[in-house]
Amino acid sequence: MLSRLASGDALIRSVLDEAFTQPTITATERAETEALLRHRFGVDVPLFYLSFSTPPGATAPAWQWHGMTNQYHRWLESLLHGNLGYSYREGAAVADLLKSALQYTLPLTFLAAILAVALTFEFCIWLGSHPAWRSPILSTLYVVQSIPLFVIALVLLLLFANPDVFTWFPAYGLGSIDSFSPWTGALGQYLYHLVLPLLSLILVSVPSLAIQLNASIQMEAHALYVATARAKGVAPRAVVRRHIVRNALLPVLPLLTELVPNVVAGSVVVEMIFALPGMGRLLAEAASAQDYPVLLGAVLLVSLARLFSQLLADLLYQWIDPRIRLSA
């Protein structure tokens, strides 16, 4: 909160310095304009309900109660009415900026999450029926898991979007889509530009999921119901898919539900590296300009995604094991 207050004052001073470059401007005019700007940006009232400062006419600081007339209460009241405020940098509504950015970020994140989960399931089912490959593949997964996302994205960029190696995919952006082209062509071009960003998010998400799910499958493989299924002549792959996977999911659910918030956070890095429009660029520009209303709105969205993932985990627990019930 202190940094928000300091950034508001710094923003006002920079606007005043740019506006009042003439030496004929009086101090009174500057003070009046500063008061108007402070009111416009909402920093003309205390930051919180309480503050430890020196009251007017006092010689020592003391705790002061400001009541409901403070910046935090105004922000909270606006939030309850669906108003996230206005950007310091662009002057536009934060909700409109987030909506414009999410139309690029949501397809990327949801595609990455869905593909990561599907690949993890198919990969672990195949691995459960091919034990000879388990050791080398798990060793590779541990290595990939230790690599940061930005390194994976840069390696893919240098390998597959580099004229000196392979130029299979574009290096940045989403390309220019002709308004007269059919929607199938526009969709194909859009997905073509998303191949490397999607692959980056998938490679950083699959190893941890696959390692945990494989370990859970191996523990369930020694259960009596698995031995019964094998004694009946069920194929190894069918034993894993039909009998083991559902019970093996219980320890993995926390990782699955954390996947969406993690992919949302990872998309910020990926969008910056591949110069994609979306939340990543919006957050980077807001952070560099100390545009706190936009930053607060983005943090709120990530928090809501995490709450949604926790609710989804509770529902999935009950679906997988009907004996589990939410406590009242």
Side-chain angles (χ1 to χ4, degrees):
M1 290 191 297
L2 292 176
S3 58
R4 181 181 186 274
L5 181 62
S7 66
D9 291 338
L11 179 64
I12 291 171
R13 287 194 297 269
S14 65
V15 171
L16 289 173
D17 292 338
E18 292 179 2
F20 296 122
T21 56
Q22 300 297 326
T24 57
I25 301 298
T26 64
T28 303
E29 294 174 335
R30 182 183 178 93
E32 291 176 352
T33 306
E34 182 177 356
L36 291 175
L37 287 174
R38 291 180 65 84
H39 179 73
R40 176 187 174 186
F41 291 122
V43 296
D44 57 336
V45 294
L47 189 63
F48 198 58
Y49 300 99
L50 285 171
S51 66
F52 188 72
S53 58
T54 304
T59 57
W63 287 103
Q64 297 183 69
W65 171 255
H66 303 291
M68 305 303 177
T69 308
N70 60 80
Q71 296 180 40
Y72 176 77
H73 186 80
R74 287 182 177 178
W75 175 82
L76 186 60
E77 188 176 15
S78 299
L79 179 63
L80 294 177
H81 289 85
N83 182 11
L84 297 176
Y86 291 86
S87 168
Y88 290 161
R89 181 172 54 91
E90 298 187 13
V94 173
D96 293 338
L97 294 176
L98 294 177
K99 182 179 178 181
S100 177
L102 284 176
Q103 69 178 343
Y104 298 103
T105 301
L106 285 182
L108 174 64
T109 54
F110 277 108
L111 274 176
I114 292 171
L115 291 176
V117 171
L119 289 174
T120 299
F121 272 77
E122 292 300 324
F123 180 70
C124 289
I125 290 171
W126 180 86
L127 200 61
S129 58
H130 295 78
W133 289 89
R134 188 173 300 123
S135 180
I137 289 179
L138 286 179
S139 300
T140 304
L141 290 178
Y142 279 115
V143 173
V144 176
Q145 187 184 21
S146 64
I147 303 176
L149 173 59
F150 74 92
V151 175
I152 293 178
L154 288 175
V155 168
L156 293 176
L157 186 64
L158 292 175
L159 285 179
F160 302 112
N162 187 355
D164 296 330
V165 186
F166 301 107
T167 55
W168 294 348
F169 302 102
Y172 62 90
L174 293 176
S176 58
I177 299 176
D178 189 359
S179 59
F180 298 100
S181 62
W183 69 269
T184 53
L187 179 62
Q189 183 177 356
Y190 177 73
L191 294 177
Y192 173 63
H193 282 78
L194 286 186
V195 170
L196 292 183
L198 276 174
L199 189 57
S200 303
L201 292 174
I202 290 172
L203 286 177
V204 82
S205 302
V206 167
S208 58
L209 295 175
I211 290 170
Q212 183 63 40
L213 182 56
N214 175 73
S216 186
I217 288 175
Q218 297 310 309
M219 292 181 63
E220 289 291 329
H222 301 289
L224 293 178
Y225 69 90
V226 177
T228 303
R230 289 172 177 168
K232 292 180 179 179
V234 181
R237 184 179 180 86
V239 170
V240 178
R241 180 181 292 274
R242 298 177 184 175
H243 299 277
I244 296 179
V245 166
R246 183 162 183 169
N247 291 325
L249 275 178
L250 287 175
V252 188
L253 275 183
L255 291 179
L256 288 175
T257 53
E258 286 293 319
L259 180 62
V260 173
N262 291 339
V263 169
V264 170
S267 66
V268 176
V269 178
V270 169
E271 288 174 356
M272 290 301 300
I273 292 177
F274 292 98
L276 299 176
M279 290 291 293
R281 179 180 298 178
L282 180 65
L283 284 176
E285 293 176 352
S288 62
Q290 296 183 341
D291 196 349
Y292 279 85
V294 176
L295 293 176
L296 285 174
V299 170
L300 180 63
L301 280 181
V302 175
S303 301
L304 291 177
R306 189 169 296 276
L307 288 175
F308 171 77
S309 67
Q310 293 174 355
L311 176 61
L312 182 62
D314 292 334
L315 297 176
L316 288 177
Y317 271 121
Q318 295 184 72
W319 175 72
I320 294 173
D321 191 347
R323 297 171 297 176
I324 300 176
R325 289 291 181 267
L326 291 176
S327 59

